[in-house]
Each structure stands twice: as C-alpha cells, then as structure tokens.
Amino acid sequence: MENSITIREYGPADKVAVMNLIRLNTPEYFALEEEADLNEYLENKRELYYVLIFDGDIVGCGGINFVKNGKVAKISWDILHPEYQRRSFGSQLLRYRIDKLKTIEGVREIMVRTSQLAYGFYEKHGFVLSEIKKDYWAKGFDMYCMKYKMKDLLEKGR
C-alpha cells in the first residue's frame, strides 16, 4: 500500500535501522557519544519502544519508560529520519504514545527530557518547560525537562 504509515512495537531486528536513524541526526540533534547511550537503552533499558514505518521503511522511533512505580511516564529516544521531519510523522508517533498512556491505569504525569534543539516540538504538543540543565547530554546539548499538561488524564479521574 502506497504512502501507508504503521506504528508497531520495536523488535531486535529493527536495531540496525534505529541506530542508522541516530547517525542520520548526528550532530544536528544528537551528540556523537549519544549513539552508545541509545545502544545501551535498546539492549537494557527499553520498556515500550515503537517504530514508525512509512512505505515499508523504518523512518522514526520513540519509546516510553516508567518511573515512580508507574505514576510517571517518560517519552524517550524520539528519532525521525531527516527526510521525514516536519511532515507530521513525529506528531503521529508522539500522539500514539500519549493516547496509549491515557489507557494505562495509574499514570499521573507524562514528561520528556529533550534538548534545546527539539523542545519547541514538544511545546507545540502541550508539554511545558520545567527545568533546563546546560550541557547535560554533551557539550552544547542542554537538557530541557518538560511535563505534559495532564488535563485529559486528570479529567478521567485517574
């Protein structure tokens, strides 16, 4: 099917494609040393991780991790192929995960830790900046900690 988008759970066979995505975004969005961090994440720290497939190719990925006994969900390792940025693919992948989190009992907060290079994307989707740490990821890559406006989750009485 032409121009079809599928989002599905990540599997080990997807690792080469996902690692290629971070390389395609280095150094513009990721520091060189973050490639090893992503590898460690995929091997040992991944909880829920998804790939976005367009016309049969993996062009995006992103995950969810939980802290504080599942009360806080962290959006993690969002990466999109440069040719597919600014075409709503990242928005679709983020909305997919937020919608999934709205169905998980006990989740009270959604947060993301990103950089100054991508925080505007999350702000556009309802995340509010709560903290900045200079040179956190690497020199020149600050951490922007953001929290999702939880109105939708709180209205459900969660």
Side-chain angles (χ1 to χ4, degrees):
M1 192 191 311
E2 195 173 316
N3 293 330
S4 69
I5 293 174
T6 304
I7 298 173
R8 66 161 170 77
E9 284 195 40
Y10 167 91
D14 301 325
K15 186 174 181 185
V16 170
V18 168
M19 295 305 292
N20 188 50
L21 289 176
I22 195 170
R23 289 181 195 114
L24 290 170
N25 282 282
T26 302
E28 188 172 354
Y29 291 104
F30 294 95
L32 190 59
E33 51 267 38
E34 288 183 277
E35 185 176 326
D37 295 339
L38 176 59
N39 185 65
E40 170 69 14
Y41 174 85
L42 292 173
E43 291 295 323
N44 301 308
K45 297 179 180 170
R46 172 176 46 89
E47 290 182 54
L48 298 175
Y49 204 67
Y50 302 94
V51 291
L52 185 142
I53 300 164
F54 180 70
D55 284 349
D57 294 319
I58 294 175
V59 301
C61 53
I64 302 169
N65 286 75
F66 298 93
V67 294
K68 298 188 181 175
N69 295 321
K71 290 184 171 108
V72 178
K74 295 185 345 183
I75 298 296
S76 53
W77 286 107
D78 284 348
I79 312 171
L80 205 59
H81 190 293
E83 290 177 20
Y84 296 89
Q85 293 170 6
R86 295 167 192 63
R87 291 175 54 185
S88 87
F89 291 93
S91 297
Q92 289 180 58
L93 184 58
L94 181 60
R95 272 195 307 272
Y96 178 87
R97 288 174 291 158
I98 289 171
D99 289 345
K100 182 169 266 322
L101 287 168
K102 288 177 181 177
T103 70
I104 298 175
E105 194 66 40
V107 173
R108 302 217 185 288
E109 182 178 305
I110 302 171
M111 64 171 290
V112 66
R113 296 183 318 159
T114 188
S115 74
Q116 73 273 25
L117 305 168
Y119 88 96
F121 167 79
Y122 295 101
E123 191 173 57
K124 183 174 78 174
H125 290 285
F127 285 81
V128 177
L129 184 63
S130 62
E131 179 183 15
I132 298 173
K133 289 187 178 178
K134 195 118 181 83
D135 296 328
Y136 181 86
W137 306 111
K139 184 145 182 63
F141 290 85
D142 303 339
M143 182 196 50
Y144 278 52
C145 188
M146 305 181 79
K147 294 181 180 174
Y148 185 68
K149 292 178 192 164
M150 296 299 291
K151 188 177 86 133
D152 291 345
L153 284 176
L154 296 174
E155 285 175 358
K156 290 182 176 181
R158 299 208 132 154

